[in-house]
Amino acid sequence: MMGIKCSLCKKYKPIFKRPYSGEILCSKCFSKTFIKRIVKTISRYNMLHFNDKIGVAVSGGKDSLTLLHVLYEIEKKFPQSQLLAITIDEGIEGYREESLKIATDACKKLGIKHIITSFKEAYGKTLDEMIKISQEKNIFISPCTLCGILRRHLLFHKAKDLNLDVLATAHTLDDIVQTYFLNILRGDVNIFEKAISYEKPRLITPFRLMPEKEVALYAHLKGYYLQSVPCKYAYSSARNFVRNFLIQYEENYPGTLYTALHVFEKIKLTEKQEIRKEKCIICGENSSRKICRVCEILSKFDLKTNF
Ligand code: SF4
Ligand code: ZN
């Protein structure tokens, strides 16, 4: 990009080209437009109100760390709002220790209240212990499915316990489109109700229009301390196949992820009325089945929630 200037300020050397919009941006303009686009997303989906009590799910990874910093900047302008962070310690040896420390340090630096809770406390076993049991008892469930379902369950429980209005997660455009595809491939007919929830706590995803690449670049430019150890179970994830396919597709056909999200959101609106809502006969939570996934998993593992 020798001699070329940023397409916004026309002053500085560009460091990034947005393939789907054609913009070529310097680091300052990239960061500015990044925040602007998150604010726009929040208002487009009416995600936040001026006096919300907001919990951010912070794993300590680059996406959630960035979300915490961005919401901190945005919410500074709304003194009646409250912001706190929730971290779930799944109990993954050699992985969680580092990200827990990163999350704790970030919250300390920003002066944000940090709630840490664990699978061990909530369910009596760590993820590592559950995976060992699944191998011994031939319970066929992938570590990421187990981890994802229980983490979401515990996050919601904590959010309710803390009387939060909003639970914010750092799912990016890539994550959300991957989830839609995964749901289709798994034959989950209720893909449409998982985008945004309107019940308290409202589940919001302020990065839903932001490609993961741009979140990573923002985190890098801001110099956030990022995790060096990957999770040892990541290899087993079906999501990886879908992620790799979508990354390649997006590289060849920029803008595909936006198009896909747009289509899925449209289906969500038109099909919304058709979705069957039931209550789990064990825990009473909303579910599309008689026994929800959480209760099904806990009974397979002979576990109970401690709350
Ligand atoms: Fe959990 Fe899978 Fe992520 Fe590891 S890679 S933290 S097991 S969802
Ligand atoms: Zn249940």
Side-chain angles (χ1 to χ4, degrees), residues 153 280-285 287 290-296:
H153 178 240
C280 166
I281 54 168
I282 299 176
C283 68
E285 290 292 330
S287 172
K290 277 209 155 59
I291 295 176
C292 74
R293 286 286 271 153
V294 176
C295 289
E296 186 186 88

Side-chain angles (χ1 to χ4, degrees), residues 22-116:
E23 288 168 299
I24 303 174
L25 301 169
C26 70
S27 63
K28 254 191 172 172
C29 289
F30 169 78
S31 297
K32 255 196 225 163
T33 55
F34 182 89
I35 300 283
K36 255 194 187 167
R37 292 175 69 213
I38 303 303
V39 172
K40 248 190 176 170
T41 307
I42 290 172
S43 87
R44 174 172 162 183
Y45 293 91
N46 195 17
M47 288 180 177
L48 290 172
H49 307 147
F50 72 99
N51 56 354
D52 275 333
K53 187 174 179 189
I54 308 159
V56 188
V58 179
S59 68
K62 66 173 181 350
D63 299 342
S64 64
L65 218 56
T66 305
L67 180 64
L68 184 72
H69 282 83
V70 169
L71 285 182
Y72 173 78
E73 286 304 321
I74 294 172
E75 290 309 304
K76 266 204 298 207
K77 297 175 190 119
F78 298 94
Q80 288 190 57
S81 69
Q82 290 177 60
L83 190 67
L84 56 87
I86 309 174
T87 302
I88 308 285
D89 177 2
E90 303 91 346
I92 305 172
E93 216 192 317
Y95 167 69
R96 225 348 131 219
E97 298 84 351
E98 186 190 27
S99 52
L100 258 179
K101 188 178 176 322
I102 294 172
T104 307
D105 290 350
C107 290
K108 252 192 211 155
K109 209 176 108 198
L110 297 173
I112 291 175
K113 189 173 170 187
H114 189 200
I115 315 285
I116 303 172

Side-chain angles (χ1 to χ4, degrees), residues 134-182:
S134 75
Q135 287 159 351
E136 287 161 5
K137 288 191 171 180
N138 286 328
I139 303 172
F140 295 105
I141 184 161
S142 82
C144 291
T145 306
L146 187 57
C147 181
I149 290 173
L150 294 184
R151 190 186 326 111
R152 189 183 159 95
H153 178 240
L154 188 49
L155 268 173
F156 263 94
H157 162 72
K158 266 288 153 198
K160 280 186 185 161
D161 205 33
L162 293 159
N163 198 24
L164 298 181
D165 298 301
V166 171
L167 178 63
T169 63
H171 293 103
T172 61
L173 173 66
D174 300 55
D175 296 323
I176 288 169
V177 174
Q178 283 161 23
T179 303
Y180 278 127
F181 272 99
L182 274 168

